[in-house]
Every structure is written in C-alpha cells, then in structure tokens.
Amino acid sequence: MPLEPIAAVNQPSSSPKRSYPVSLGRAAWSNVEVVGEHAYAKAIKTALLANGAISIRGSDGEVEGVEVELVAEPDNPHDANAISVRWRGRVLGYLSREDALRYKQPIRRSIASGLLAATTARIWGYDDGAQLRARVTIALPEPELITPLNAAPTGVSTLLPWGSGIQVLKEENHFDMLSSHVPTDRRGLLLVSLHKAINTLKNGTQRPLVEVRTRRQTGWETQQRHFSTPAPAPRTHRGSR
C-alpha cells in the first residue's frame, strides 16, 4: 500500500519557506527511486503536461531537471519517517521506507531551520488512455552530505559551484579546530570561506596563497582558524564551499 500524504494531493499548496538545494551545487543525477507513483498518477500527469513531456493519450515522454521538494510527514499514519516528493505542492510519490529512514534527519534539520529541502527529478510516463504508467527518480547525495556541519560565513559571500577536489596544506596545524567538527559517523559537509593572502618567506619572497577558513561558536565568541593552499588566489569576492 502506498503511503498516504497528510493533505489532499489534488490541490496545489504553497509554502512561505525558502527552498534549500540539497545538492549544494553538485552535478545532479537522478539516482534515488521514488515509490507509490501509481497512486499519484493525476499529479504526475499534470507535471508531465506542464513540462511538455506528453501531449496526447497513447504517448510517452520524460522530463529531467524538474524541481521538487522533500517534505517530512512525522504524523503520517503509515510511517512516522515518511518523506513525500512534491511538485508545486502535489505529491508525486514517496521515498522508500529504507531511504526515508536514512534521510529523515537531514531533511527534518532543514525544515527545522525554516527551509524546504529541494532537488531535481526525472519523470517518465506513458499514457495508454486507461491509466498512466510512471517512474520518478530524484537526485540525492548521501545523507551526511545534505546539511552542513557548521553555519555559513557571515557577511557577503558566494557559494562556489561544486568541482574537483583541491588538496589543502597544513591541516595538521589545526587539528584542534577540525576535530571539533567531525561528526560521530566520521563524515560530513563543512562550509569554509576562501581569502586571498600573501605568504612572506624567510628570504623576503612573497607568494600569493588562499586561506581556507571556517568558523565555530564558543559561547558568545566567534573564533576563526585557517589553513592554506597554494592554489592561485581567487579574484572574485569571498565565497563558501
């Protein structure tokens, strides 16, 4: 039996909450299956029609990159961990029970912060006139990489696109700070800011470098630590990653 949503699914709903892109700039691919699509054929067909994927009966089509939101439903009578996948307020399906259990904490954390977890979906459907056969998949990183371990830098900043990794040097000089961010499962997402700086060698030679900083709260005091990478200094204003 498919999970049932809290509210009527045939009526679009809106929320004043801002969307939080769970990919944080990563290249998105639809890697997680949604279940129960057959119970939400009307909403899925509406999404396909709105995106021009199908137009007449007896046709099939698909669309990628559809913006959807993940909504935790702790009052769901079938599963307290239920997470629905919604397009413009309409339920398209649910995460499986196994995936809902894995993703419930980061999704609820984003909601508790006043944000709606958002990602992209691939929707396929075939309308034979009698019923709509459909498949919905969404893009999700690993649960521990959805919500950051720390707050974003203060002031004006720009989130840089996700790219290949760059080795940061001298981390061993800042293990006291880094260890304070390590979660119990030993893996997580840490926001940092990049700052242009100059390193003066003993012979007086000056070399540009980039300081990688993070911040943490200790009571009312904000402490900043940094470690460096010899990558060329960015010419744009401060960003976070």
Side-chain angles (χ1 to χ4, degrees):
M1 175 183 295
L3 299 174
E4 295 296 332
I6 298 301
V9 300
N10 293 328
Q11 296 296 325
S13 62
S14 59
S15 173
K17 293 183 178 181
R18 293 183 294 116
S19 294
Y20 169 75
V22 298
S23 64
L24 281 180
R26 298 178 188 82
W29 68 96
S30 301
N31 57 323
V32 175
E33 294 282 347
V34 173
V35 301
E37 297 100 324
H38 64 280
Y40 307 102
K42 184 175 181 180
I44 293 174
K45 185 174 181 179
T46 301
L48 289 169
L49 289 169
N51 287 278
I54 60 174
S55 57
I56 59 175
R57 290 184 178 181
S59 64
D60 71 313
E62 69 177 8
V63 60
E64 297 186 20
V66 179
E67 294 184 2
V68 295
E69 294 173 340
L70 304 176
V71 179
E73 298 181 358
D75 296 327
N76 190 297
H78 300 284
D79 184 1
N81 299 321
I83 298 175
S84 60
V85 178
R86 304 193 181 202
W87 171 80
R88 298 182 182 178
R90 298 175 170 89
V91 175
L92 304 181
Y94 282 77
L95 297 189
S96 68
R97 290 181 182 271
E98 294 77 13
D99 284 334
L101 185 61
R102 294 176 60 220
Y103 285 98
K104 70 173 184 177
Q105 291 301 331
I107 298 301
R108 290 181 180 182
R109 181 180 174 187
S110 67
I111 293 174
S113 301
L115 303 171
L116 281 176
T119 186
T120 57
R122 174 185 177 272
I123 306 174
W124 171 88
Y126 173 72
D127 185 3
D128 63 7
Q131 64 177 350
L132 179 76
R133 286 180 282 174
R135 181 188 181 195
V136 179
T137 54
I138 61 174
L140 282 180
E142 291 300 307
E144 63 270 21
L145 300 180
I146 286 183
T147 52
L149 299 169
N150 61 332
T154 57
V156 178
S157 61
T158 299
L159 184 66
L160 300 179
W162 196 266
S164 57
I166 297 177
Q167 178 64 51
V168 175
L169 307 178
K170 300 183 180 180
E171 308 102 305
E172 65 276 9
N173 295 337
H174 305 282
F175 280 161
D176 59 331
M177 179 276 296
L178 292 172
S179 61
S180 69
H181 291 294
V182 178
T184 56
D185 57 7
R186 318 301 292 177
R187 188 183 184 204
L189 182 67
L190 187 68
L191 293 179
V192 300
S193 57
L194 307 180
H195 303 257
K196 292 190 295 185
I198 297 295
N199 181 30
T200 302
L201 305 180
K202 291 182 179 180
N203 61 6
T205 302
Q206 292 186 330
R207 294 181 179 177
L209 57 80
V210 177
E211 290 183 344
V212 182
R213 300 181 184 177
T214 185
R215 56 189 293 267
R216 63 178 179 178
Q217 293 287 346
T218 305
W220 294 104
E221 179 184 11
T222 299
Q223 300 180 352
Q224 279 197 332
R225 304 293 183 88
H226 67 271
F227 37 104
S228 60
T229 174
R235 295 183 179 179
T236 58
H237 54 280
R238 184 174 63 185
S240 60
R241 172 72 177 277

